[in-house]
Amino acid sequence: MSLADMRRPIESGCPDGMQYMHPVMIKNFGQWKYHEHPRPGVLVHYAESGDAIWTVRAGTQRILDVYTLRKLCDIGDQYADGHVRFTIRSNIEYMVAEEAKVEPLIEALEKEGFVVGGTKNSVAFIAHTQGWLHCDIPGTDASGVVKAMMDELIDEFRNCRMPNRVHITTSCCQINCGGQGDIAINVQHTKPPRINHDLVANVCERPSVVARCPVAAIRPAMVNGKPSLEVDEKKCICCGACYPPCPPMQINDPEHSKLAIWVGGNHSNARSKPSFQKLVAGGVPNNPPRWPEATAIVKKILKAYKEDARDWERINDWIDRVGWPRFFELTGLPFTKYHIDNWRGSRKSLNSSAYIRL
Ligand code: SF4
Ligand code: SF4
């Protein structure tokens, strides 16, 4: 078959976003002059041409059923100009080219129970991974944590009362996607994996499981006459990295898989370099359906930040200024030996900077 006869590859990546954009945005692409923030949840962008476009942002639950999606789209057709987009924090944004459409659009959204907000110095919608629904290794239902927390933080979403924006994240396992932010609520395993030796030989590719362990705690072993694996529990840091390639090494546990709360993770911005988040509360009960212990800690951190930080300081900037001892004093969180990183291996194996090195 000649090259000309061959089928062209079908690209399956992101579709071209331009085809879905509001016409005013296409017309003024790359020609924006400045923007304003007339009220929480609304932004207006002015173009060099004199055009303006209003964006109205509402929170959604991210895992959307088709009826809710239809409802959101109907609102877009009836009250906006028929163009929407979803942000990475599960907000829906409607674009309108006339200011007169903004208030009726907000009213329609609120009438259906959606909350408008999440812009500027508010608590933005909590980003979460969604492993409970589709992944093979989750230790908690991150979307449930988000629902329980946002129910209590919703006034901080619909108002702009924080020193700067606050990005909160959750993740449903300890090692993979998710869990980086001003405040991160992450799974924390506290016991080594339990091995089902009857299944290892049939299910796991043992050399790759051995290679997965960051502290070389896994060895091949014969157990009951079958090839299996064993874990040196003194070395194991309970990271859970062996569980995805080898499900018989079960690490999730209703009692011993906890939540940990980390603060101060941030990309670089105009004021500061990128910063790693740091553990501030460990061993927090993973307690569905409302996760009251984790929510109480997040509220304590937000309260101290709101009262003590200067305007436009992000959480990491605030802690850099006041220092960690003062952070623990202001939040009332106990400082324990678990907050001190005394793992000797980290000197060689962990980056000490958040910059990506090539
Ligand atoms: S955080 Fe972990 S469990 Fe959750 S979706 Fe990502 S990889 Fe899966
Ligand atoms: S949990 Fe982590 S440290 Fe422990 S054996 Fe598995 S990969 Fe190694």
Side-chain angles (χ1 to χ4, degrees), residues 129-132 134-140 142 170-178:
T129 51
Q130 44 199 334
W132 213 241
H134 68 78
C135 195
D136 53 350
I137 53 170
T140 191
T170 63
S171 74
C172 36
C173 75
Q174 192 173 259
I175 49 161
N176 286 349
C177 54

Side-chain angles (χ1 to χ4, degrees), residues 86-156:
F86 280 92
T87 71
I88 53 167
R89 290 191 162 261
S90 319
N91 303 292
I92 188 166
E93 288 188 343
Y94 296 88
M95 274 62 69
V96 290
E98 292 161 52
E99 189 175 5
K101 290 184 175 174
V102 172
E103 278 311 315
L105 172 58
I106 293 173
E107 274 170 33
L109 284 164
E110 289 179 343
K111 192 163 154 257
E112 293 294 344
F114 298 102
V115 184
V116 173
T119 47
K120 219 180 170 190
N121 49 327
S122 61
V123 173
F125 208 84
I126 304 178
H128 71 86
T129 51
Q130 44 199 334
W132 213 241
L133 210 60
H134 68 78
C135 195
D136 53 350
I137 53 170
T140 191
D141 169 17
S143 48
V145 178
V146 171
K147 162 71 178 142
M149 272 186 199
M150 275 321 274
D151 278 355
E152 300 211 22
L153 300 177
I154 200 68
D155 280 341
E156 297 301 349

Side-chain angles (χ1 to χ4, degrees), residues 203-213 218 229 241-242 244-246:
V203 177
C204 314
E205 200 181 316
R206 292 188 305 150
S208 57
V209 184
V210 171
R212 241 345 239 245
C213 181
I218 307 176
L229 296 164
C242 49
C246 187

Side-chain angles (χ1 to χ4, degrees), residues 35-248:
H35 69 274
E36 288 173 350
H37 181 251
R39 55 152 282 176
V42 180
L43 293 165
V44 50
H45 287 79
Y46 296 95
E48 301 281 358
S49 66
D51 289 345
I53 191 151
W54 283 260
T55 305
V56 176
R57 178 181 294 179
T60 78
Q61 64 269 45
R62 176 157 177 176
I63 298 171
L64 289 165
D65 61 276
V66 75
Y67 302 103
T68 309
L69 263 176
R70 284 198 182 128
K71 195 184 286 173
L72 287 165
C73 291
D74 286 348
I75 292 173
D77 283 338
Q78 202 179 337
Y79 295 93
D81 300 341
H83 294 268
V84 299
R85 72 170 200 123
F86 280 92
T87 71
I88 53 167
R89 290 191 162 261
S90 319
N91 303 292
I92 188 166
E93 288 188 343
Y94 296 88
M95 274 62 69
V96 290
E98 292 161 52
E99 189 175 5
K101 290 184 175 174
V102 172
E103 278 311 315
L105 172 58
I106 293 173
E107 274 170 33
L109 284 164
E110 289 179 343
K111 192 163 154 257
E112 293 294 344
F114 298 102
V115 184
V116 173
T119 47
K120 219 180 170 190
N121 49 327
S122 61
V123 173
F125 208 84
I126 304 178
H128 71 86
T129 51
Q130 44 199 334
W132 213 241
L133 210 60
H134 68 78
C135 195
D136 53 350
I137 53 170
T140 191
D141 169 17
S143 48
V145 178
V146 171
K147 162 71 178 142
M149 272 186 199
M150 275 321 274
D151 278 355
E152 300 211 22
L153 300 177
I154 200 68
D155 280 341
E156 297 301 349
F157 175 84
R158 57 159 74 95
N159 290 293
C160 296
R161 302 187 295 208
M162 287 287 156
N164 200 339
R165 70 171 64 89
V166 180
H167 285 168
I168 306 181
T169 62
T170 63
S171 74
C172 36
C173 75
Q174 192 173 259
I175 49 161
N176 286 349
C177 54
Q180 308 280 341
D182 293 303
I183 303 176
I185 301 112
N186 295 336
V187 165
Q188 178 190 28
H189 299 299
T190 58
K191 295 269 184 200
R194 287 182 317 277
I195 307 177
N196 183 338
H197 295 289
D198 290 336
L199 294 179
V200 170
N202 294 342
V203 177
C204 314
E205 200 181 316
R206 292 188 305 150
S208 57
V209 184
V210 171
R212 241 345 239 245
C213 181
V215 292
I218 307 176
R219 296 186 284 259
M222 290 296 284
V223 181
N224 301 329
K226 287 187 183 170
S228 186
L229 296 164
E230 67 182 8
V231 169
D232 180 344
E233 297 197 352
K234 284 209 187 86
K235 277 189 182 172
C236 174
I237 54 170
C238 310
C239 68
C242 49
Y243 176 50
C246 187

Side-chain angles (χ1 to χ4, degrees), residues 2 9 23 48 91 121 141 169 193 203 263 269 271 283 319 342-343:
S2 74
E48 301 281 358
N91 303 292
N121 49 327
D141 169 17
T169 62
V203 177
V263 302
N269 58 32
R271 290 172 200 84
I319 298 170
N342 60 358
W343 182 42

